[in-house]
Amino acid sequence: MLEIQQLRTDLDNVTRKLAKRGYTFPAAAFSSLEAERKTIQTYTQELQAKRNAASKQIGHAKSKGEDTTSILLEVAHLGNELKQSEIQLEQIQIQLQKILLETPNLPHDSVPEGKNETSNQEIRRWESPREFSFEVKDHVSIGEGLGLLDFETAAKLSGARFNLMRGKLARLHRALAQFMLDIHTQEHGYTEVYVPYLINSESLRGTGQLPKFEEDLFSVYTGGKGDSVTQGLDTSTSEQNNQLGKSPNFYLIPTAEVPITNMVRDEIVAIEQLPMKFVANTPCFRSEAGSYGRDTRGLIRQHQFDKVELVHIVHPQQSYEALEQLVSHAEKILQKLVLPYRVMTLCTGDMGFSAAKTYDIEVWLPAQNTYREISSCSNCEAFQARRMQARFRNEAGKPALLHTLNGSGLAVGRTLVAILENYQNADGSVSIPEILQPYMNGLDQLTVSGRE
């Protein structure tokens, strides 16, 4: 959330910066509400002062034994006016808060300007893509050919955009997550955490998913026969709950960023505790609203997928140094797996809602003959911290807002896709990266004969 004082004193500049993101800030509505707020706030303060003065008069008159009837009538009149004025002021504050909650973060000055992904800038590449002497297959054909990837059964169980893995492929998926956690905790200094997969609306509001992106979430309603997981899977049930005036009790996490970052919500952290670095492996649940028709084949865009998430909570002066570190930690996983990738700086029009600056890491997928996102690493500066009231005691001992960062280290399913495609062999088998073989009990290949 933006600092409202910045909007009050530098509205034109803020509006210009938001326009670079493709966001039109409602400046006229904000200015009108602000003018009304000032008027009513001043009037409210005047009424409060009159009431306080009248109360003193009553006390003084009573001490002298004088009649206070006329003063009491005046106080009663002031009380009614004051109550109405306070209600008006509260309603205006709610409207201002709504504008702030729906406004994205300001882009950092170093972010390239652009409308969409075509304006993203490549920073570096690592390794050249492998040249194949045979016709490459995509990960779906490879997994199904091995008898280890089953979308048909997953669709029977849950519907589209789910998957079912068997045998050695399921083990490889698990091995990837374990490998990532080991590297981040043992080499990169992260503290592993296990977090809830069901979270409340306050947590999602804190990191920026609510109120603007509720349609992307799976809502959970509890209580009676209507128990259901909705929003994206069963919209009829969701609509019925909304019509009945029911609010979700919980939401399924779209990413571990939400529960991890909210660990410091409404907290004041000691400066000695900074920086804080956390890692978690969790399933992520997304309705993928607005992405219909995109990546319908395979594991790229699923309603449920696993991700190893990295979160930094840091001193404001260290957040951009932390961003570079965060990206390097995600890159290290791909380097150890020997998977070609490139790093991109996202332009203003392609960044996420809460981000001030974002790097995407894109892994090479031979079957698509292109790089695809496997990690997105963002510095949110104080945007999330202001929504969460997440603070630390600075060098002067005063509370100040923290800076928060997050990134994938990595998306497990997409990493599995990259391994299947980059390590495929002409006979339909898949070689297992050397660094993962100890996690696979020494297994070095996925083969049709080794389905178990």
Side-chain angles (χ1 to χ4, degrees), residues 334 339 361-363 372-376 408 410-411 414-415 418:
L334 291 172
L339 290 170
I361 303 174
E362 300 178 345
V363 70
R372 292 298 301 269
E373 180 209 330
I374 197 168
S375 174
S376 192
S408 307
L410 302 162
R414 291 194 179 194
T415 308

Side-chain angles (χ1 to χ4, degrees), residues 27-245:
F30 176 82
S31 297
S32 176
L33 284 168
E34 263 296 289
E36 194 176 355
R37 178 196 64 80
K38 287 180 184 178
T39 300
I40 295 175
Q41 188 165 309
T42 300
Y43 182 59
T44 302
Q45 290 170 346
E46 289 173 354
L47 290 174
Q48 288 171 337
K50 286 181 181 179
R51 183 190 61 183
N52 293 340
S55 296
K56 286 181 181 179
Q57 271 187 285
I58 291 169
H60 186 67
K62 281 184 176 180
S63 68
K64 291 185 173 183
E66 297 176 354
D67 182 23
T68 59
T69 303
S70 61
I71 308 175
L72 285 170
L73 287 172
E74 183 182 351
V75 171
H77 173 68
L78 284 173
N80 291 334
E81 279 192 62
L82 181 58
K83 185 176 180 180
Q84 291 301 315
S85 184
E86 286 173 341
I87 290 171
Q88 274 187 283
L89 185 60
E90 183 182 4
Q91 290 173 341
I92 291 169
Q93 298 284 21
I94 289 171
Q95 292 179 69
L96 287 169
Q97 184 77 351
K98 185 176 185 295
I99 290 174
L100 289 174
L101 287 173
E102 294 182 350
T103 300
N105 202 355
L106 298 178
H108 189 265
D109 290 340
S110 65
V111 174
E113 190 172 347
K115 293 182 179 179
N116 52 47
E117 61 184 16
T118 59
S119 297
N120 294 343
Q121 293 183 1
E122 184 175 320
I123 303 301
R124 56 183 172 271
R125 294 190 182 197
W126 187 87
E127 287 292 310
S128 298
R130 171 187 170 189
E131 293 186 7
F132 293 85
S133 59
F134 56 90
E135 185 176 352
V136 298
K137 298 177 181 178
D138 69 6
H139 68 280
V140 177
S141 299
I142 297 167
E144 291 179 337
L146 291 168
L148 302 177
L149 188 56
D150 185 352
F151 290 100
E152 185 176 342
T153 301
K156 179 179 72 173
L157 298 174
S158 302
R161 295 188 188 263
F162 290 92
N163 72 86
L164 189 152
M165 300 179 201
R166 290 190 169 94
K168 297 296 191 299
L169 188 64
R171 180 168 184 168
L172 180 58
H173 184 268
R174 170 165 55 92
L176 275 168
Q178 186 65 57
F179 159 69
M180 293 174 191
L181 288 170
D182 285 349
I183 297 302
H184 293 313
T185 56
Q186 296 170 19
E187 298 185 16
H188 298 156
Y190 289 81
T191 298
E192 184 177 353
V193 290
Y194 175 83
V195 295
Y197 302 161
L198 290 169
I199 47 173
N200 55 35
S201 58
E202 288 82 4
S203 296
L204 287 158
R205 192 173 294 109
T207 43
Q209 283 80 10
L210 287 179
K212 196 172 180 66
F213 303 104
E214 186 166 15
E215 67 172 4
D216 294 325
L217 303 168
F218 284 117
S219 311
V220 179
Y221 297 84
T222 60
K225 296 180 180 179
D227 291 2
S228 61
V229 176
T230 63
Q231 192 67 28
L233 282 182
D234 185 355
T235 53
S236 61
T237 308
S238 181
E239 287 169 3
Q240 289 169 11
N241 283 322
N242 289 334
Q243 289 169 7
L244 291 171

Side-chain angles (χ1 to χ4, degrees), residues 159-413:
R161 295 188 188 263
F162 290 92
N163 72 86
L164 189 152
M165 300 179 201
R166 290 190 169 94
K168 297 296 191 299
L169 188 64
R171 180 168 184 168
L172 180 58
H173 184 268
R174 170 165 55 92
L176 275 168
Q178 186 65 57
F179 159 69
M180 293 174 191
L181 288 170
D182 285 349
I183 297 302
H184 293 313
T185 56
Q186 296 170 19
E187 298 185 16
H188 298 156
Y190 289 81
T191 298
E192 184 177 353
V193 290
Y194 175 83
V195 295
Y197 302 161
L198 290 169
I199 47 173
N200 55 35
S201 58
E202 288 82 4
S203 296
L204 287 158
R205 192 173 294 109
T207 43
Q209 283 80 10
L210 287 179
K212 196 172 180 66
F213 303 104
E214 186 166 15
E215 67 172 4
D216 294 325
L217 303 168
F218 284 117
S219 311
V220 179
Y221 297 84
T222 60
K225 296 180 180 179
D227 291 2
S228 61
V229 176
T230 63
Q231 192 67 28
L233 282 182
D234 185 355
T235 53
S236 61
T237 308
S238 181
E239 287 169 3
Q240 289 169 11
N241 283 322
N242 289 334
Q243 289 169 7
L244 291 171
K246 293 177 68 176
S247 297
N249 299 77
F250 299 103
Y251 295 86
L252 291 169
I253 60 170
T255 165
E257 167 205 342
V258 181
I260 298 175
T261 309
N262 274 276
M263 286 165 56
V264 293
R265 174 160 51 93
D266 296 323
E267 300 286 339
I268 299 179
V269 177
I271 194 170
E272 293 79 17
Q273 293 180 258
L274 303 178
M276 305 168 79
K277 294 160 57 179
F278 298 107
V279 61
N281 174 44
T282 70
C284 304
F285 305 90
R286 300 183 185 178
S287 74
E288 294 295 344
S291 66
Y292 300 110
R294 296 176 57 194
D295 297 313
T296 55
R297 178 176 168 83
L299 298 171
I300 295 295
R301 198 177 295 276
Q302 298 270 282
H303 287 310
Q304 174 187 317
F305 60 95
D306 280 29
K307 183 155 62 80
V308 172
E309 184 74 2
L310 307 174
V311 170
H312 288 220
I313 298 166
V314 304
H315 192 292
Q317 294 176 5
Q318 298 170 351
S319 65
Y320 279 94
E321 179 185 345
L323 178 60
E324 300 299 326
Q325 184 186 77
L326 176 60
V327 175
S328 71
H329 292 162
E331 286 183 79
K332 185 61 69 175
I333 300 297
L334 291 172
Q335 292 171 9
K336 288 179 178 289
L337 292 170
V338 195
L339 290 170
Y341 68 86
R342 66 180 184 179
V343 179
M344 309 288 289
T345 302
L346 299 194
C347 70
T348 52
D350 199 32
M351 289 195 304
F353 179 80
S354 297
K357 184 172 185 177
T358 299
Y359 291 111
D360 268 9
I361 303 174
E362 300 178 345
V363 70
W364 177 255
L365 297 184
Q368 296 188 19
N369 195 38
T370 191
Y371 292 93
R372 292 298 301 269
E373 180 209 330
I374 197 168
S375 174
S376 192
C377 300
S378 299
N379 184 359
C380 300
E381 296 184 354
F383 187 82
Q384 293 178 327
R386 187 171 289 109
R387 297 168 79 103
M388 296 186 298
Q389 281 303 289
R391 296 167 292 171
F392 73 107
R393 291 205 179 275
N394 61 21
E395 292 80 356
K398 296 181 179 180
L401 292 171
L402 292 157
H403 276 198
T404 62
L405 303 92
N406 64 80
S408 307
L410 302 162
V412 181

Side-chain angles (χ1 to χ4, degrees), residues 139 142-143 146 169 416-424 430 446:
H139 68 280
I142 297 167
L146 291 168
L169 188 64
L416 185 66
V417 168
I419 289 173
L420 291 175
E421 294 196 6
N422 283 279
Y423 281 86
Q424 63 180 292
V430 176
L446 300 178

